[in-house]
């Protein structure tokens, strides 16, 4: 089969959270099983382009519909971990930003990307067997396939909901900007539109990140007001447990690490070496204290009070603590910036409030414990 993933993140070039790892690992596993895989991603200004192989700008620009007119998009082609990846670079400047998410016009940005992605698929005759959508950011492709392109696209559409808390709530007029003449009322405010709900209604199949989560989101407590909608579409909904890419996270082959090692009698010696390298790199005191790591998006769902408690507990009990995390929420960024400043002269802790792919791997390698 030919499977096209339309996503907003993929490790290691564009990461805000675990979604990036899922796109990379799933794509590589599908390729390992013999399927043809293409990933379509926005061309962010903040891409880690050093991890893209053979990145090149294609000669032909592709137009897409936006606010009643055709807008041109530059198209880039590259390879991420062996995966053929298309990057859409709109002239509108929607992705010339410092972060992936967290802007007031996010609904405009990702609705534009959704329309541009399906326009590219159609105009370049990709004709995939499956178009696999991820999160609300690409969910509008499902109704576009079933309405605007119903006579041109025969692909089945799969929508994976990694986190139901984020749904893409916007004003109703936003849908008309990408040529959708349909109504989809948000379940809590009938004056607003819910992009994730649109995807649920129009996709051929729905899934989420585990069987447990698929049952939880059918309840009022965890469904974020979409539980009734999901119950109505339960016949096409299932949970599939996320996997781990053992090649990407294998220390014997991990090129993000300063050296590679295997699970043998030298493991602890090499782990200690990784710990020394990390401490020197981020400015921690190099001694025998246990090192506790935390790598997380800094959003309420992740338990921010537990992270702050873990930091306090670690320092009170003669341990070291390193946090690598970022957030699109200004108040949380300010809160952790103040926490970082409070501990700036403490040689036993470091808070790194931006993503750094190489440090992600080094922290996992070096830490004695992870929060």
């Amino acid at each position: 089969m030919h499977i096209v993933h339309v996503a907003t993140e993929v490790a290691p070039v564009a990461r805000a959270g675990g979604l990036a790892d899922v796109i990379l690992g799933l794509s590589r596993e599908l390729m390992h099983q013999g399927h043809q895989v293409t990933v379509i991603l926005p061309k962010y200004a903040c891409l880690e382009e050093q991890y893209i192989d053979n990145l090149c700008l294609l000669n032909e620009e592709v137009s897409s519909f936006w606010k009643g007119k055709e807008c041109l998009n530059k198209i880039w082609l590259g390879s991420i971990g062996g995966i053929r990846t298309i990057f859409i670079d709109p002239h509108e400047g929607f992705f010339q930003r410092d972060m992936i998410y967290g802007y007031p016009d996010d609904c405009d940005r990702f609705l534009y990307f959704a329309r541009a992605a399906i326009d590219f698929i159609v105009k370049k005759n990709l004709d995939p067997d499956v178009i696999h959508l991820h999160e609300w950011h690409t969910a509008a492709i499902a109704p576009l396939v079933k309405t605007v392109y119903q006579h041109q696209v025969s692909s089945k559409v799969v929508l994976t909901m990694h986190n139901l808390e984020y749904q893409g709530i916007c004003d109703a007029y936003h849908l008309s900007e990408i040529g959708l003449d349909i109504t989809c009322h948000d379940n809590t405010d009938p004056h607003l539109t819910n992009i994730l709900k649109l995807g649920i209604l129009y996709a051929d199949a729905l899934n989420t990140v585990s069987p447990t989560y698929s049952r939880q989101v059918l309840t009022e407590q965890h469904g974020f007001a979409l539980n009734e909608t999901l119950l109505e579409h339960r016949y096409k909904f299932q949970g599939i447990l996320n996997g781990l890419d053992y090649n990407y996270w294998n220390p014997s082959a991990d090129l993000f690490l300063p050296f590679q090692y295997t699970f043998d009698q030298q493991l602890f010696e090499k782990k200690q070496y990784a710990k020394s390298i990390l401490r020197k790199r981020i400015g921690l005191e190099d001694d025998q204290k246990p090192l506790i790591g935390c790598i997380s998006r800094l959003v309420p769902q992740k338990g921010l009070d537990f992270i702050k408690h873990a930091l306090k507990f670690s320092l009170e009990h003669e341990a070291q603590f390193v946090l690598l995390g970022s957030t699109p929420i200004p108040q949380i960024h300010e809160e952790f910036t103040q926490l970082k400043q409070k501990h700036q002269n403490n040689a036993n802790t470091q808070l790194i409030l931006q993503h750094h792919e190489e440090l992600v791997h080094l922290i996992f390698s070096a830490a004695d414990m992870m929060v």
Side-chain angles (χ1 to χ4, degrees), residues 216-229:
Q216 289 177 335
V217 297
L218 297 178
T219 67
E220 185 175 347
Q221 181 181 1
H222 298 287
F224 294 98
L226 283 177
N227 49 296
E228 293 295 333
T229 304

Side-chain angles (χ1 to χ4, degrees), residues 6 15 26 32 36 144 149 158 186 198 202 249 301 337:
V6 188
R15 179 201 291 277
L26 177 58
H32 178 71
Q36 179 186 353
L144 285 167
Y149 286 116
V158 177
D186 179 61
L198 264 179
Y202 283 90
W249 296 104
Q301 187 189 41
T337 298

Side-chain angles (χ1 to χ4, degrees), residues 32-86:
H32 178 71
Q33 293 182 12
H35 301 293
Q36 179 186 353
V37 176
T38 302
V39 172
I40 300 179
L41 196 73
K43 178 70 164 59
Y44 302 109
C46 57
L47 282 178
E48 299 280 354
E49 292 189 8
Q50 66 269 32
Y51 303 129
I52 306 173
D53 295 325
N54 304 315
L55 180 64
C56 62
L57 177 63
L58 301 184
N59 291 329
E60 183 182 1
E61 294 186 332
V62 175
S63 64
S64 62
F65 181 88
W66 176 247
K67 292 187 176 181
K69 63 181 181 179
E70 292 292 319
C71 299
L72 289 176
N73 303 288
K74 294 179 181 178
I75 305 298
W76 298 72
L77 175 65
S79 177
I80 301 173
I83 306 162
R84 179 175 182 261
T85 306
I86 302 295

Side-chain angles (χ1 to χ4, degrees), residues 1 3-6 26 129-135 138-139 141-142 146 155-161 199 202-208 236 238 240:
M1 289 196 300
I3 301 162
V4 173
H5 290 283
V6 188
L26 177 58
D129 297 284
V130 176
I131 301 175
H132 194 156
L133 313 177
H134 297 270
E135 298 288 54
T138 61
I141 292 176
K146 302 302 181 181
S155 312
K156 295 297 184 183
V157 178
V158 177
L159 170 63
T160 297
M161 297 164 287
Y202 283 90
D204 295 296
L206 307 167
N207 62 41
T208 191
K236 61 179 181 181
Q238 61 179 316
I240 301 174

